[in-house]
Amino acid sequence: MDIDAVPSAAGLVVRVGETRIDAAIAIEFKEAIRGLAEGRAGPVILDLSRVNFLDSSGLGAVVAVMKLLGTDRQLQLAGLTPPVAKVFRLTRMDRIFTILDEAPTLKAAG
Amino acid sequence: MVLRAPSATAGNVERTATDGFGARGGDDRHARIFRRFRASDMETRATLTAVCDSLRRRGMGEDDLSSAELILAEVLNNVVEHAYAYGEGWIEMEINLRRDAMACIVRDQGHAMPGNTPPAPGPMRLEPPDNLPEGGFGWHIIRCLTSGLNFRRDGEHNELRFVMPLSDGD
């Protein structure tokens, strides 16, 4: 799973390197983010700018991530490509998530 | 469409034909794409990628392509997850690309669809964060983007047909 997490002033930026979040990968995706986000506090920004395909499995995984973060930690989505934005729009899930045009700029060095 | 017996050389087969004798003449967007593959998430992924490449080469625009891929993914995921929940089998997919629409037929040999009719979910009910659904979006998406959705059980086979209208331009 091509994914990493970088802290930023705005929250933990989870950068998804996979180009597809689909049935083949949805569970692994959710578990990877669980691992990256646990033990921390604060918002999580999911950078999906490299994802050009997401189906209902992928959507379900994103919802599952929101739930596993709990009500104290906000999940924001950034960099939705047109095909991905379409799925959120069709399902009206674009009203549930905060959607950013871009992920926050990350400072150099950790 | 004839469901061919499994061939010894398994694998993800594509056959395409361009019908150069379309009703309005000479439009090479009239095409038929046929694929046969084993039902699995990885095979679905490979099939979708290849089919989209074929459709793109035949002039389908990016917005229509993303809708086509999404519809096909939802339909195929449903076959893999439900029709073949307890076993394995083949999926056959035929795509007929016309000037104004893409018509598809998906056949499998898995379990019948409950009630012999595809789900028609009502409006998505989106409840407070801890009660959001994680599933059930698939048929909603399919119904949003297609017309003529039709399912029939034919002996040992499921057959799902639908049409995706193409947008103007591109």
Side-chain angles (χ1 to χ4, degrees), chain A residues 18 20-25 30 52-57 59-61 63-64 66-67 71 82-83 86-87 89-93 95-97, chain B residues 41-42 44-45 48-49 62-64 66-67 69-70 73-74 77 81 123-124 126-127 129-135 137-138 140-141 144-145:
Chain A
E18 300 289 331
R20 303 175 72 89
I21 308 176
D22 57 7
I25 211 177
K30 181 188 87 171
N52 55 42
F53 181 79
L54 176 142
D55 60 12
S56 63
S57 311
L59 179 60
V63 172
M66 176 191 254
K67 289 182 183 177
T71 50
K86 180 183 292 187
V87 178
R89 191 172 61 246
L90 287 173
T91 58
R92 304 193 179 190
M93 295 299 269
R95 303 177 191 192
I96 299 294
F97 294 93
Chain B
D41 291 335
M42 290 308 290
T44 293
R45 187 188 262 200
L48 290 175
T49 303
E62 288 303 316
D63 185 47
D64 285 337
S66 71
S67 293
E69 185 169 20
L70 183 58
E74 299 301 340
N77 287 348
E81 187 177 347
M124 300 299 310
L126 304 179
E127 302 183 11
D130 50 333
N131 277 333
L132 280 175
E134 290 176 42
F137 300 107
H140 172 85
I141 290 168
C144 279
L145 296 174

Side-chain angles (χ1 to χ4, degrees), chain A residues 27-92:
Chain A
I27 294 172
E28 198 182 337
F29 168 80
K30 181 188 87 171
E31 291 304 318
I33 298 178
R34 182 201 301 275
L36 291 169
E38 71 189 352
R40 300 175 184 262
V44 171
I45 301 111
L46 198 52
D47 181 350
L48 298 175
S49 57
R50 292 180 58 184
V51 179
N52 55 42
F53 181 79
L54 176 142
D55 60 12
S56 63
S57 311
L59 179 60
V62 173
V63 172
V65 166
M66 176 191 254
K67 289 182 183 177
L68 71 86
L69 290 176
T71 50
D72 290 342
R73 300 177 73 180
Q74 191 189 35
L75 176 65
Q76 302 176 354
L77 309 179
L80 302 196
T81 59
V84 176
K86 180 183 292 187
V87 178
F88 280 85
R89 191 172 61 246
L90 287 173
T91 58
R92 304 193 179 190

Side-chain angles (χ1 to χ4, degrees), chain B residues 27-31 58-60 97-99 166-167 169-170:
Chain B
D27 182 344
D28 72 1
R29 274 171 60 179
H30 291 254
R58 284 164 177 79
M60 187 180 277
L97 182 62
R98 307 190 303 248
R99 179 192 304 270
L166 298 182
S167 57
D170 275 10

